């Protein structure tokens, strides 16, 4: 499904934002003593001064690695691989004159093997490269202490997060973010707020799948990131607590408490967290408008500063009860509230073709919002025998609610700062999303390393979004019907999949297909009563072939061949055809088709 997000001045805003930040790339190769490439070595990019982790990469089959969008500064590269001794390079520097840094080949030495006096300590690797996914073990890196889920994602291999919180995987946007195997149904700023306020101490693993199998939803043409939270199963009562305070220009705090109680057939677990952030953004924009002959028509300059305060309070409670040794029932209840406040000021200078100042616009804006999320999950698992034959089922209900109050004050002046006119615009933007989904999965091991999987899923989404705008004249609120909008959206997706896999000697083979039917109904009530209805049926085949091609210093090398068909589903706000205002000059609008 092709979607279009019509961005007017927002594109110019993004371009101007990126222009202010100088970034570069760091590339290189990892080799062994025989000068052959080392595949799946872990490269940690460290700040040369603080030794803190900035980003992580994994080498490909040719031993190559790449770090993109790296800010100017000095860095160290810490390189490790199974069977090799860890090595840290000398400092490398990204500068305005050298944005493409090529690091000389890094040679790893094989670990010496001691036959006596060996103490074995079990510890997970920070990065695990599996045949169909990359796994990040969050607790295996000390640098994740006090970090947030979003910061851990930013450091993960192939993952990038831009200034607006949009997440991309290997340069592609549209990645689906899942939490414990369930879609978050959020994107952009809303998703970034959830992850930014989730402590890393609550995470167990992050699974990165660039080509997820047929078991997973077909949406997302750049892959799936599944964030697994902790679920302690130690017997008795146990728990952990963490707190962190960070001071930059402003401060932020992160606090969490994990509790668990297991006795006999009963397992109780909970997570509580409270976080606070205070940050800012300073933005300078320069635009030059051209005539058809490329001469200057007009010049626009804008300086702006905004201060943001946000809190996040999260609670999750769960219960697992074992009916017998083979059957388990569970329930998880969670809730999040996220109060947010933003104030900003910007000044715009409008000039003619010669650069002479024509007029000035001074604007003040503020936004106060409260975002709430509640969810309930019922789950069931039955293991038929010890071979891995099992059936699982989940039913989820999620509710998202947000209320935003916006204030825009604009004053227009002459070049000499004489007031020409002023206006005040108020925005009231309530939004609600209700989601109900149910799924079941069946796994059947077969003979000689084969396995069969099948499953069903149904999801129902209902959203109601209102954008009410008012011009404030004196103390009287007059509705602005040119900007006011109300949009309802309903979506139903039904899916079924089958998948088979087999391991034979050096080969791993998977094949499957997923069938999805989608029904979408959109209804714009204001300013005019319009609606749309879309129904489609899609088939999504999947083929995966992996072969072990050899070993280097005890480290396994594999080759891959993958075919996967997917679909890009627009997030709900992208279907809303009416403008959403950021300030007097900037707005964005969606496309219902």
């Amino acid at each position: 499904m092709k979607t279009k997000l019509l961005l007017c001045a927002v594109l110019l805003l993004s371009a101007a934002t990126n222009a202010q930040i100088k970034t570069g790339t760091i590339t290189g190769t990892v080799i062994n003593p025989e000068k052959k490439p080392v595949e799946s070595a872990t490269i940690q990019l460290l700040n040369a001064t603080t030794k803190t982790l900035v980003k992580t990469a994994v080498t490909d089959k040719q031993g190559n690695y790449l770090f993109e969008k790296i800010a100017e500064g000095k860095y160290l590269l810490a390189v490790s691989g199974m069977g090799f001794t860890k090595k840290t390079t000398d400092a490398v520097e990204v500068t305005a004159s050298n944005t493409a840094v090529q690091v000389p080949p890094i040679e790893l030495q094989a670990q010496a093997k001691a036959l006596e006096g060996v103490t074995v300590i079990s510890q997970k690797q920070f990065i695990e490269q599996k045949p169909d996914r990359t796994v990040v073990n969050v607790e295996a890196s000390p640098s994740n202490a006090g970090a947030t889920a979003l910061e851990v994602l930013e450091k993960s291999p192939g993952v990038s997060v831009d200034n607006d919180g949009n997440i991309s995987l290997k340069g592609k946007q549209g990645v689906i973010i899942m939490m414990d195997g369930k879609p978050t149904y959020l994107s952009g700023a809303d998703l970034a707020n959830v992850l930014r306020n989730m402590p890393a101490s609550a995470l167990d693993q992050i699974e990165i799948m660039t080509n997820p199998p047929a078991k997973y939803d077909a949406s997302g043409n750049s892959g799936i990131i599944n964030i697994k939270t902790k679920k302690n199963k130690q017997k008795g009562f146990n728990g952990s607590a963490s707190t962190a305070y960070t001071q930059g220009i402003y401060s932020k705090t992160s606090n969490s408490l994990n509790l668990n109680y297991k006795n006999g057939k009963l397992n109780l677990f909970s997570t509580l967290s409270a976080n606070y952030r205070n940050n800012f953004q300073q933005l300078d924009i320069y635009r030059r408008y051209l005539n058809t002959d490329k001469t200057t028509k007009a010049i626009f300059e804008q300086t702006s500063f905004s201060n943001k305060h946000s809190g996040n309070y999260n609670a999750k409670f769960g219960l697992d009860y074992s009916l017998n040794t083979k059957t388990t029932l569970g329930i998880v209840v969670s809730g999040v509230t996220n109060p947010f406040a933003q104030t900003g000021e910007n000044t715009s200078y409008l000039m003619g073709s010669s650069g002479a100042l024509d007029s000035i616009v001074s604007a003040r804006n503020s936004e106060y919002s409260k975002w709430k999320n509640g969810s309930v999950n019922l789950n069931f698992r039955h293991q038929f025998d010890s071979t891995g034959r099992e059936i699982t089922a989940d039913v989820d209900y999620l509710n998202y609610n947000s209320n935003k109050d916006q204030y825009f004050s604009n004053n227009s002046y002459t070049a000499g700062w004489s007031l020409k006119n002023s206006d005040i615009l108020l925005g009231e933007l309530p939004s609600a999303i209700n989601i109900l989904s149910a799924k079941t999965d069946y796994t059947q091991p077969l003979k000689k390393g084969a396995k069969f999987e099948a499953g069903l899923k149904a999801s129902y989404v209902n959203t109601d979004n209102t954008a009410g705008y008012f011009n404030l004249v004196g103390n009287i609120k007059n509705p602005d019907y040119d900007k006011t909008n109300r949009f309802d959206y309903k979506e139903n997706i039904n899916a079924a999949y089958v998948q088979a896999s087999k391991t034979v000697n050096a080969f791993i083979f998977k094949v499957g297909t997923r069938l999805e039917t989608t029904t979408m109904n959109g209804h714009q009530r204001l300013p005019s009563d319009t609606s749309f209805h879309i129904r489609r049926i899609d088939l999504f085949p999947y083929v995966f072939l992996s072969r072990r091609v050899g070993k280097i210093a005890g480290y396994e090398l594999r080759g891959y061949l993958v075919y996967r068909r997917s679909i890009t589903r627009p997030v709900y706000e992208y279907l809303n055809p009416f403008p959403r205002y950021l300030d007097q000059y900037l707005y964005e609008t969606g496309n219902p088709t």
Side-chain angles (χ1 to χ4, degrees), residues 338-340 367-372 400-406 427-432 466:
N338 177 211
F340 173 84
E367 178 178 308
Y368 301 93
S369 66
K370 193 168 186 179
W371 186 88
K372 295 184 293 184
Y400 297 95
N401 272 284
S402 69
N403 285 282
K404 296 181 182 179
D405 292 323
Q406 298 178 328
E428 298 175 359
L429 293 82
S431 177
T466 300

Side-chain angles (χ1 to χ4, degrees), residues 250-302:
Y250 297 110
S251 63
K252 65 177 180 180
T253 64
S254 177
N255 311 279
S256 67
L257 175 66
N258 297 288
L259 299 173
N260 190 86
Y261 175 75
K262 181 174 176 61
N263 185 17
K265 296 182 177 183
L266 182 66
N267 183 42
L268 299 171
F269 54 91
S270 66
T271 299
L272 304 172
S273 65
N275 308 287
Y276 176 78
R277 297 175 60 87
N278 187 0
N279 58 358
F280 75 96
Q281 181 183 60
Q282 184 171 330
L283 177 66
D284 297 307
I285 299 174
Y286 175 85
R287 300 181 187 139
R288 187 163 61 94
Y289 298 91
L290 304 179
N291 295 305
T292 54
D293 60 357
K294 304 301 181 182
T295 58
T296 299
K297 182 178 181 179
I299 297 173
F300 176 95
E301 287 189 28
Q302 185 182 74

Side-chain angles (χ1 to χ4, degrees), residues 326-380:
K326 296 181 178 180
T327 306
T328 303
L329 297 175
I331 180 171
V332 181
V333 180
S334 62
V336 179
T337 181
N338 177 211
F340 173 84
Q342 175 179 326
T343 58
E345 296 183 2
N346 67 70
T347 304
S348 304
Y349 301 90
L350 290 80
M351 293 163 276
S353 58
S354 65
L357 184 61
D358 175 77
S359 58
I360 304 167
V361 176
S362 177
R364 296 177 58 197
N365 59 76
S366 63
E367 178 178 308
Y368 301 93
S369 66
K370 193 168 186 179
W371 186 88
K372 295 184 293 184
N373 157 233
S375 65
V376 179
N377 165 258
L378 301 175
N379 57 82
F380 164 83

Side-chain angles (χ1 to χ4, degrees), residues 113-167:
K113 297 181 179 179
L115 298 180
E116 296 182 1
V118 176
T119 300
V120 179
I121 300 175
S122 177
Q123 182 178 2
K124 290 183 178 180
Q125 292 181 323
F126 177 43
I127 304 292
E128 291 184 73
Q129 194 71 43
K130 296 189 176 182
D132 60 348
R133 68 196 64 189
T134 299
V135 178
V136 179
N137 293 302
V138 178
E139 280 193 335
S141 175
S143 66
N144 289 328
T148 68
L150 190 64
E151 290 169 338
V152 175
L153 270 182
E154 287 182 288
K155 300 172 186 176
S156 300
V159 181
S160 299
V161 183
D162 66 18
N163 293 337
D164 297 320
N166 296 306
I167 300 170

Side-chain angles (χ1 to χ4, degrees), residues 385 387-389 442-453 499-503:
D385 49 44
T387 64
R389 180 178 168 227
Y442 174 75
T443 301
Q444 172 71 63
L446 303 174
K447 295 181 179 180
K448 298 181 179 180
K451 183 168 68 173
F452 172 78
E453 297 173 87
Q499 180 175 296
S501 61
K502 185 174 177 61
T503 301

Side-chain angles (χ1 to χ4, degrees), residues 185-206:
Y185 297 100
L186 297 174
S187 66
D190 290 335
L191 177 60
N193 280 335
V194 172
L195 298 177
R196 191 178 285 120
N197 290 288
M198 178 181 291
S201 60
L203 306 185
D204 179 27
Q205 292 181 332
I206 296 176

Side-chain angles (χ1 to χ4, degrees), residues 55 66 68-69 153 156-162 165-177 191 208-212 219-225 562-568 574:
K55 190 73 177 173
L66 167 65
E68 296 182 293
K69 298 180 181 179
L153 270 182
S156 300
V159 181
S160 299
V161 183
D162 66 18
N166 296 306
I167 300 170
S168 57
L169 182 58
K170 293 189 175 180
K172 295 181 180 180
Q173 291 195 356
V175 59
I176 300 300
I177 306 297
L191 177 60
I208 302 171
M209 295 172 275
T210 54
N211 292 288
S219 58
N221 63 356
S222 57
I224 288 176
I225 297 176
V562 181
Y563 172 78
R564 174 180 181 257
R565 184 172 183 261
S566 63
I567 191 170
T568 300
Y574 290 178

Side-chain angles (χ1 to χ4, degrees), residues 382-410:
H382 177 72
Q383 295 175 294
F384 294 93
D385 49 44
S386 60
T387 64
R389 180 178 168 227
E390 70 173 21
I391 185 170
T392 62
D394 285 88
V395 178
D396 290 271
Y397 173 74
L398 300 90
N399 172 261
Y400 297 95
N401 272 284
S402 69
N403 285 282
K404 296 181 182 179
D405 292 323
Q406 298 178 328
Y407 173 91
F408 301 99
S409 172
N410 296 284

